[in-house]
Amino acid sequence: RRQRQMCIRDSNILALKNSCINFIVSNLCENFMTVDVRTGMSTTVIGAGNGEMLPQQTFKEQILWFAENVVVPEERENYIQYFALDNLVARIKENGGGTVSMFCNVIYEDGRHELLIRSTLVKDTLDLRGEYVLLFAQDMTSIRKIEEANRQLMLTSRHDKLTGLLNRAAAEKLPPQIVLDRVGAEAVQD
C-alpha cells in the first residue's frame, strides 16, 4: 500500500513537472531542457505554444545535433565546448550557482537568428545528491521583431497617416500647454 502511494505521488510530481515545463515553453521561451548531471540524460521541450516533448537522449547527443544542424558554422566549435556538461556545470558553480548565459547565431528556415541560451543548476528535492541543469533558449531576433512591430503600431496609432501629426486621441492625452506649444509651432512652420 505504501509503495503504491509513493508511485502515485511520484507520477503526480512528474505530471506537475511536465505541466510546468510546458507552461514555461508556451509562455517564456523557445525551448526548455533539463539535464540529469549524474547520467547526462536530457529531456527537451520545443516549440513555443505546442510544448512538444522530445524523446529522452543524452545531452551531448542533443548539443552535437543542434551544433551540426542549426548553429552557424563559425560558432559550432565554441558552442560544443561551452555546452560540454562538465564545463557548463563548472561555469554555473563558478558563478555562485546562478544563471549563466550564452548568445549564439543559428540558421532557421527564415534566415539567421540570434539565440540567448540561459542555464542554471538545481538540486533534486527528493534526492539531494541529484542535480539538474535547466536550460532555456529565447529567440532574440524574433523578440526584436515583435518589439519593433509594437513600436510601429504605437507610432501609427498616435499619428495621422496623411500628415504625420499627432492625432486627436494622442493630443488629448498631452498636457494642454504642450498641445498649444505644438499647434503654435506647426502653425508657424506652415
Side-chain angles (χ1 to χ4, degrees):
R1 178 174 161 88
R2 180 168 156 65
Q3 189 174 23
R4 183 171 178 264
Q5 286 175 334
M6 288 181 65
C7 285
I8 291 171
R9 187 193 77 167
D10 288 349
S11 68
N12 288 341
I13 290 171
L14 181 60
L16 178 62
K17 178 181 122 184
N18 289 341
S19 294
C20 290
I21 291 171
N22 281 323
F23 173 81
I24 290 168
V25 171
S26 297
N27 295 284
L28 303 174
C29 63
E30 291 271 314
N31 301 310
F32 184 85
M33 182 185 293
T34 60
V35 183
D36 184 326
V37 173
R38 285 187 289 183
T39 65
M41 295 302 291
S42 63
T43 301
T44 304
V45 181
I46 61 167
N50 67 2
E52 177 188 349
M53 191 171 290
L54 297 178
Q56 202 174 49
Q57 63 186 51
T58 69
F59 181 60
K60 184 176 182 177
E61 289 170 336
Q62 288 199 347
I63 294 303
L64 290 175
W65 182 90
F66 194 78
E68 292 169 8
N69 294 284
V70 183
V71 175
V72 295
E74 62 271 19
E75 295 181 19
R76 287 180 181 156
E77 189 60 38
N78 185 43
Y79 177 87
I80 291 168
Q81 289 176 1
Y82 183 91
F83 288 107
L85 188 54
D86 291 340
N87 294 345
L88 183 58
V89 170
R91 191 173 297 104
I92 293 168
K93 288 181 178 180
E94 288 169 6
N95 192 42
T99 302
V100 295
S101 302
M102 177 196 195
F103 285 97
C104 73
N105 291 291
V106 297
I107 302 296
Y108 287 160
E109 288 179 3
D110 66 337
R112 189 178 182 119
H113 286 246
E114 181 182 48
L115 292 185
L116 170 60
I117 304 172
R118 296 185 180 180
S119 313
T120 192
L121 191 63
V122 296
K123 293 272 187 197
D124 185 336
T125 56
L126 299 176
D127 176 3
L128 296 179
R129 294 174 298 145
E131 290 182 308
Y132 293 86
V133 174
L134 305 180
L135 302 101
F136 68 92
Q138 293 176 293
D139 183 342
M140 300 308 291
T141 303
S142 293
I143 290 171
R144 286 186 201 105
K145 286 179 183 176
I146 291 168
E147 288 172 347
E148 178 58 23
N150 285 339
R151 191 184 72 69
Q152 288 296 325
L153 183 61
M154 181 62 81
L155 188 66
T156 58
S157 73
R158 297 176 65 198
H159 291 81
D160 180 79
K161 289 180 183 178
L162 183 62
T163 65
L165 299 174
L166 284 177
N167 63 24
R168 182 182 188 140
E172 287 174 348
K173 292 180 183 177
L174 293 174
Q177 186 58 44
I178 292 176
V179 173
L180 290 175
D181 291 345
R182 284 193 176 186
V183 169
E186 289 166 4
V188 170
Q189 289 176 0
D190 290 340

